[in-house]
Amino acid sequence: MALVGILGAGLSGVVMGIQLKRLGIDDFVVYEKQSDVGGTWLRNTYPGLHCDLPSHIYCYSFEPNPDFSMVFSGQPEIQAYIRSCAEKYGIADHIRLNTTVERASWQPEDTCWELELAEGERLRHRFVVSATGGLTEPHYPTLDGFDSFEGLVWHAGSWRHDVELAGRRVAVVGSAAAAVQVVPEVAKDAAEVFVYSRTPNWVRPRRNRFYTDEEKAELATDEGWHRARRQQYRDTMLWQRAFEKKTDAIEELRAEVMDQMHAAISDPDTIAALTPSFDPGCKRILVSDDYYPALALDHVTLVPHGVTALTPSGVVSADGTEVDVDIVIFCIGYKLGGRLPRLVPRPQRSHPAVLPRQLGPLPSRDARPSPRCVRGALTPPHITERR
């Protein structure tokens, strides 16, 4: 019986293994449902996918990567970075790929957790760490006529790379983080695009660009990397201050977003439909350099309503308008904790899902998200390292 079982080999699962090794604990197994490490950065491959945060703060503090090609890295680079860390620190040897944990049950008589795998195998661990993440299982809406639609339907989190969009009429449903990245890419190929935006969000410019060879050389030095990291932290603090309801930060973000919107779009009705009714910082702030320009294209139509139904040939919006389309792409989020195994019983304080005090805590003994799980300008790798 291995001492620790870790569920998931994304950013959190890999760094959990690294930290265990640093504590001298080599008796652990990482269970990964997918065919490789990377978690959400392996599962999600939709076009345009980049990190919302700068590359050099979206990485482990102990493993800088001067070779990121852009200020905001794309999905392939981030997934490759996670894999390289797993290999460098010897975590890959502990990972069981293509392995799904269906159930975790506490065995009080033996004071351990028993994991039941999809193929029926049962394994026991004194401690279990859930590192499954929340951006891997696509969420689909409950819509009238959903199954009647005769075209193609998929979620951004399960992208159909085998389907050509050229010449097609495409509906993109959603207006959050995935949508603002997907819409510009879809608009490059599709004949017509209909963007269904029930609730607009604040979308500030990403200002992404490639690093020069000179910048990469500087980032390869300790001084250069720390300098870049400090500056990138300063840049994200505007978000943090908006989350803390600082008036000056809220107004600065509002002006930044509206300037970008007005630079791309002249139609006052479209601008009104894209302007949120809440202040920046009340919800997640999105980033994109090309979302607003894409909405201004002649073959792209913004529909400022949610979707209420699908018909055999198209989409019905909340105002009753029906539009015929060939493809519907949902960008409406994920099932939070969708990959968590069934826990029997629910973890309690008496169930040791934490290591002994002298070794420090594992991320969580409870499957529910905590209000402290993601805070302001802190990024997932650093949250996990600290916890």
Side-chain angles (χ1 to χ4, degrees), residues 246-264:
K246 304 296 184 182
T247 302
D248 62 328
I250 290 173
E251 294 310 313
E252 183 177 345
L253 277 169
R254 190 195 313 275
E256 183 182 49
V257 172
M258 296 308 295
D259 286 348
Q260 179 183 224
M261 192 188 303
H262 282 96

Side-chain angles (χ1 to χ4, degrees), residues 134-157:
L135 302 177
T136 53
E137 293 299 312
H139 167 69
Y140 286 91
T142 301
L143 298 174
D144 291 340
F146 189 95
D147 294 330
S148 70
F149 182 61
E150 296 175 356
L152 297 174
V153 177
W154 69 77
H155 190 283

